[in-house]
Amino acid sequence: QSCFNHLLCDYVGDEGWLRKFRMEMRKMNRPGDVMTFKGKVARKYVNEQGEKCLDLEVWCENQREGVTTPSAATVLLPSRG
């Protein structure tokens, strides 16, 4: 979970917020596995409070099992000015 937190907080920056996070540990990452974290924007919108939001699909994969931990997050982005 901490690797996802680091990835998402780096993505939104110091002014952004991680609003919601969900992960499913479906397969094992074992010692020696090379874990790769990836993601894509699933939805971009402005919520009822006027906040700029992104729904993200993020996942961890390794060379042995493929996708091991499918996850989703909603982040709030800072205004640009």
Side-chain angles (χ1 to χ4, degrees), residues 4-69:
F4 281 111
N5 185 52
H6 188 75
L7 172 78
L8 294 166
C9 289
D10 280 353
Y11 180 71
V12 299
D14 292 338
E15 300 298 318
W17 289 90
L18 175 58
R19 170 64 55 92
K20 189 168 31 172
F21 178 69
R22 172 190 60 79
M23 67 183 244
E24 300 173 14
M25 298 180 76
R26 292 186 182 173
K27 298 178 184 174
M28 294 297 294
N29 292 301
R30 294 192 170 99
D33 286 347
V34 176
M35 295 176 6
T36 304
F37 292 82
K38 298 181 179 181
K40 66 180 180 177
V41 175
R43 181 177 170 218
K44 181 178 175 180
Y45 60 99
V46 176
N47 68 11
E48 300 81 28
Q49 292 79 29
E51 299 166 319
K52 296 174 182 156
C53 303
L54 294 179
D55 289 341
L56 306 171
E57 295 176 15
V58 290
W59 60 92
C60 175
E61 58 187 51
N62 67 41
Q63 76 283 6
R64 232 177 9 85
E65 298 277 356
V67 174
T68 59
T69 314

